[in-house]
Amino acid sequence: MNIQPINIIHALVIWQSLLFAIILFTPKYNRKRENKFLALLLLTLGIHFSYNILLTNQIFLNILPQYSCSYGFLYGPFLFLYIKFHFRKDLNFKPEYFLHFLPFTVIVLFTALGFRVCHSSMFLVLPLVILVYCLLGFTEIIHYKKVISQVSSNINHSETKWVKTILLLQIVILILNFLHLQLNKIIVFDKEFTLEPLVQLGILVLVNIMIYQGLKNPQFFQKISETDLVNAEIKQSKEKTNKLNLGELNSLAIELEKYMSQYKPYLNSELNLDALAKALEVHPKTLSQTINQILGNNFSEYINSYRIEEAKLLLQNIRDNQITIMEIMYQVGFNSRSVFNNAFKNKTGVTPSQYKEKKQFI
C-alpha cells in the first residue's frame, strides 16, 4: 500500500471520527438526542475518509468511485438535525425528516442498479446542498435566540456561538474545496501550493470541535420547548390589540410591577415566563404580550433590568468591601459572569467592577 502524506490526515480523521461516534452512541451520551445525529455525522466522515484512503491507493477502483458523491448528501442533513435537536427540548423525530435523506437513498439505489449517478456535475451541486443546510442551521440559531429571549430570564449565548463556529468553518471548507477543484494549485510569493491539505486540515479541526462539544455538557444551557414557541408568538403590532384587551394588558402591567417590587421573583435564577405567569395566575402568552407591548421589553430584558438595579444597590454598599462581584451576581439571580457583565454594561455603560470602584470614591 502506498501511504501518501495526505493519508496521515485521513487516518487521523478516520480514527477520531469512528472512535467518538462509538462513544456518542454509548448510554452516557446518547441520552442527549442530538448526539445521535452527531455520532452519525462522525460515522459518515470516518467511512468517507476510509474511502479516500482506499481510492488513493487504487483499491476497489471498479466499485468505490461509483458511490463517491453519496456521502456528501448525508453531511448537511445530519448537521442540520443535530443543530435543530440541540436547541429544542421536546422535539421528536418526525417521518418527514426522512425526506432529508432521500437524495442519498436515490443515489445509492440507482448506483446499485447500474446507473452512473456520481459524475462531475453532481460534485458542483453537492456544495450548494451543504451550503443550504448551513443556512438552515443559521435560521435555527436566529429562531432560538428570538424565542429564548421571550421566555427565559438567564440566557447564555455561548452555545449559539460555537454552533455558528462550526457552520462558518463548514462554509470555509466548502469554499476551499471548490477552489481546489477549480484551481488545484495556487501561487503565493512565487511558490505553488495545493489547497487539498488545507481542506483536509479544516475537516480535521471541524471534527475536533464537534467531538469536544458533543462530549461537553453545558451547565446553564436552556433549550426551548413547544410551549415556549407558543408563548413567544406575540402580535406584531399594537393596532391589532382591541381597546378592551389593551386595558387588560395595562392592568396586568401595573399588577406585574407591584408583584416584582414586593416579592422580587427575579432573584431566582431559574425564573422563566411560565413560572411568573403561574404566580400571577395569567396565561404565559398574555404576560408576554404585556411585557412586550406595554412595558416595551422582551422577557429577558425586563427581568434583568430588575436584577441590575438590585446589583447596583449591593455594589454601592461600601460598608462591606468583602463582598465580591461573583457573590452579588448570584444574589441578584444571574448564574453566568459573561451574561451579568454584558447585561450590566448595556444598562449602565460600565462593567460591575467599574461601577463598584466608581461608587466607592463618591
Side-chain angles (χ1 to χ4, degrees):
M1 179 180 290
N2 178 25
I3 302 297
Q4 300 183 17
I6 198 68
N7 288 156
I8 298 174
I9 299 177
H10 290 170
L12 286 173
V13 172
I14 294 168
W15 167 251
Q16 291 185 338
S17 298
L18 296 181
L19 175 63
F20 285 97
I22 294 171
I23 291 175
L24 291 174
F25 274 125
T26 59
K28 179 179 179 180
Y29 293 102
N30 69 12
R31 286 194 298 268
K32 294 173 66 177
R33 296 165 306 153
E34 64 269 23
N35 276 351
K36 295 175 183 177
F37 296 106
L38 182 59
L40 289 170
L41 176 58
L42 291 170
L43 186 63
T44 302
L45 267 169
I47 295 173
H48 193 177
F49 273 70
S50 298
Y51 155 86
N52 287 342
I53 286 183
L54 292 173
L55 195 63
T56 301
N57 290 277
Q58 299 183 341
I59 300 173
F60 297 129
L61 288 179
N62 57 328
I63 300 175
L64 292 180
Q66 302 173 42
Y67 296 88
S68 58
C69 67
S70 60
Y71 308 101
F73 287 93
L74 291 176
Y75 293 139
F78 283 143
L79 180 58
F80 170 68
L81 289 173
Y82 171 68
I83 292 171
K84 192 175 186 70
F85 277 76
H86 181 71
F87 289 128
R88 303 288 185 90
K89 190 188 324 185
D90 51 6
L91 185 65
N92 294 316
F93 190 86
K94 302 174 183 178
E96 55 262 35
Y97 291 163
F98 283 110
L99 293 175
H100 291 290
F101 305 101
L102 186 59
F104 169 80
T105 305
V106 170
I107 290 172
V108 171
L109 181 61
F110 274 69
T111 302
L113 293 174
F115 295 94
R116 181 72 178 184
V117 180
C118 292
H119 43 72
S120 57
S121 61
M122 188 64 74
F123 288 100
L124 295 176
V125 173
L126 185 54
L128 294 177
V129 172
I130 298 177
L131 179 61
V132 168
Y133 275 105
C134 288
L135 295 177
L136 288 174
F138 279 114
T139 62
E140 283 294 317
I141 296 173
I142 294 170
H143 186 58
Y144 167 79
K145 292 176 72 173
K146 181 180 178 181
V147 172
I148 200 69
S149 65
Q150 298 286 359
V151 299
S152 175
S153 63
N154 233 322
I155 306 170
N156 192 337
H157 289 302
S158 62
E159 290 299 303
T160 60
K161 288 179 181 178
W162 80 259
V163 174
K164 285 181 185 177
T165 299
I166 64 172
L167 288 172
L168 289 172
L169 183 55
Q170 178 66 73
I171 292 173
V172 170
I173 291 171
L174 286 176
I175 294 172
L176 288 174
N177 190 54
F178 177 79
L179 292 174
H180 164 62
L181 293 175
Q182 299 301 314
L183 303 176
N184 194 20
K185 292 183 179 181
I186 58 173
I187 299 175
V188 180
F189 300 117
D190 298 326
K191 292 185 178 181
E192 284 191 347
F193 294 91
T194 58
L195 290 174
E196 185 179 6
L198 283 178
V199 175
Q200 308 302 329
L201 281 173
I203 294 174
L204 183 60
V205 171
L206 184 64
V207 167
N208 280 274
I209 292 175
M210 290 190 294
I211 289 170
Y212 172 73
Q213 293 297 336
L215 298 179
K216 191 182 75 168
N217 184 21
Q219 187 176 359
F220 300 120
F221 175 54
Q222 180 180 346
K223 298 186 177 185
I224 56 177
S225 65
E226 290 298 322
T227 303
D228 295 332
L229 293 173
V230 173
N231 292 338
E233 291 176 357
I234 310 304
K235 292 183 179 180
Q236 296 299 312
S237 64
K238 294 182 181 180
E239 289 77 13
K240 293 183 180 180
T241 307
N242 58 46
K243 292 183 179 179
L244 178 61
N245 192 28
L246 186 60
E248 292 174 348
L249 295 183
N250 276 311
S251 298
L252 179 56
I254 295 172
E255 183 184 351
L256 172 61
E257 297 278 72
K258 288 181 179 178
Y259 184 83
M260 295 293 286
S261 298
Q262 183 177 355
Y263 296 102
K264 298 185 178 183
Y266 51 85
L267 297 179
N268 178 9
S269 63
E270 302 300 322
L271 181 67
N272 56 34
L273 183 66
D274 284 342
L276 187 56
K278 185 177 181 180
L280 292 167
E281 298 182 345
V282 297
H283 194 280
K285 188 173 181 180
T286 304
L287 178 59
S288 187
Q289 276 186 283
T290 302
I291 295 172
N292 278 263
Q293 296 183 8
I294 306 302
L295 300 175
N297 287 304
N298 61 42
F299 181 77
S300 176
E301 292 168 343
Y302 178 70
I303 299 301
N304 285 342
S305 66
Y306 277 93
R307 289 172 174 166
I308 296 304
E309 290 303 315
E310 192 79 19
K312 286 165 64 178
L313 291 174
L314 293 173
L315 288 168
Q316 291 173 29
N317 184 9
I318 59 174
R319 290 174 300 175
D320 183 8
N321 289 324
Q322 299 303 314
I323 189 169
T324 67
I325 292 177
M326 287 290 286
E327 289 172 329
I328 291 175
M329 179 193 81
Y330 288 118
Q331 283 184 37
V332 302
F334 287 98
N335 54 23
S336 167
R337 182 66 181 265
S338 62
V339 174
F340 177 49
N341 284 341
N342 290 335
F344 195 97
K345 190 169 185 178
N346 288 338
K347 188 75 173 177
T348 65
V350 294
T351 64
S353 57
Q354 291 171 336
Y355 185 87
K356 183 180 181 181
E357 183 179 352
K358 179 181 176 181
K359 289 298 177 181
Q360 285 179 337
F361 289 99
I362 293 178

